[in-house]
Amino acid sequence: MARPKEFEVNEVLDKAIQLFWAQGYEKTSMQELVDFMGIHRRSIYDTFGDKHALFMKSLERYEAKQTQKINFMVERQKSVKELIRAMFESTLRNEGEPLGCFIVNSGVELGVLDPEVAHLVEESYSKTEELLAKLILEGQQTGEIKTNLEPKAISHYLMNAWLGLRTLVKTRTDQQKLTDIIDTTLAILD
């Protein structure tokens, strides 16, 4: 008879996210995962599979949590421009999390080498670009954003800028510089 799990799956998965996010896939050993997650090696294999499967489940959970966070922001904001700004500014507040973005970090580290990671990262980026295009169109319809902008092209531009910001925040501590980058990027919408 199998023993019942003595841990909550999402709690230990969140710990795996933190470790992979801080160190990357290659630099994270199974022993570090065992120690950091606080569960036995056998439990990791039985619940998640091998290290790669655990990494993919971690990426999927992170992406789902980010989507939930953005959806919450969408529900709370009244202004499209304020919402897009809030999305960019959320990159500057890490609130106890590693710097940057786990999806971006993973794409940079493994995107060329691992088709499964590349696919997940590309899907995440595409979903965000679709949301940005929808928001830009909505802002144009309400008169908040210039109508001479092509929503899809601007969504690509904003996504590129946001990816750059999520990379730069890992090495730049000058908050004013980061805020200036956001201001300059979003000025295109005026």
Side-chain angles (χ1 to χ4, degrees):
M1 185 165 135
R3 289 179 33 187
K5 286 186 177 37
E6 297 177 7
F7 57 89
E8 203 285 311
V9 172
N10 286 331
E11 285 180 18
V12 296
L13 197 52
D14 287 343
K15 290 180 181 180
I17 288 170
Q18 293 297 308
L19 192 59
F20 281 131
W21 187 356
Q23 296 185 174
Y25 177 77
E26 291 295 333
K27 289 188 178 179
T28 302
S29 71
M30 278 303 288
Q31 188 58 51
E32 288 173 309
L33 288 163
V34 167
D35 295 342
F36 196 78
M37 293 168 70
I39 62 175
H40 299 287
R41 185 180 298 257
R42 181 85 255 151
S43 294
I44 291 175
Y45 287 115
D46 290 347
T47 305
F48 302 107
D50 63 9
K51 177 181 162 184
H52 187 267
L54 173 60
F55 182 77
M56 292 307 301
K57 284 180 176 61
S58 298
L59 269 180
E60 290 164 3
R61 176 152 170 82
Y62 175 85
E63 204 281 331
K65 288 171 76 172
Q66 293 302 91
T67 298
Q68 184 179 30
K69 180 177 165 183
I70 289 173
N71 287 340
F72 180 72
M73 292 168 75
V74 168
E75 292 169 9
R76 293 186 52 171
Q77 295 292 333
K78 293 180 177 57
S79 159
V80 169
K81 284 166 61 174
E82 287 175 9
L83 171 58
I84 295 171
R85 176 171 292 281
M87 290 168 66
F88 272 71
E89 288 178 347
S90 70
T91 302
L92 306 182
R93 296 181 300 275
N94 64 342
E95 300 167 14
E97 295 178 334
L99 295 173
C101 170
F102 184 35
I103 295 281
V104 173
N105 295 355
S106 299
V108 169
E109 179 186 10
L110 300 171
V112 175
L113 306 172
D114 188 322
E116 196 174 356
V117 171
H119 179 72
L120 189 146
V121 169
E122 180 57 35
E123 276 189 350
S124 178
Y125 292 174
S126 294
K127 191 166 54 170
T128 303
E129 286 178 341
E130 288 171 16
L131 172 63
L132 287 167
K134 180 180 164 228
L135 291 172
I136 291 162
L137 183 59
E138 183 182 316
Q140 289 174 326
Q141 292 169 345
T142 62
E144 192 178 346
I145 295 176
K146 298 188 286 191
T147 57
N148 65 335
L149 300 175
E150 200 288 303
K152 189 171 183 178
I154 297 302
S155 75
H156 297 311
Y157 165 77
L158 291 175
M159 185 63 182
N160 182 63
W162 197 14
L163 291 172
L165 185 66
R166 290 189 280 182
T167 303
L168 187 60
V169 75
K170 290 182 62 129
T171 59
R172 179 68 51 199
T173 57
D174 182 349
Q175 292 296 304
Q176 186 58 52
K177 182 174 184 172
L178 297 172
T179 300
D180 290 346
I181 290 169
I182 293 172
D183 293 342
T184 303
T185 300
L186 299 184
I188 196 169
L189 302 176
D190 294 329

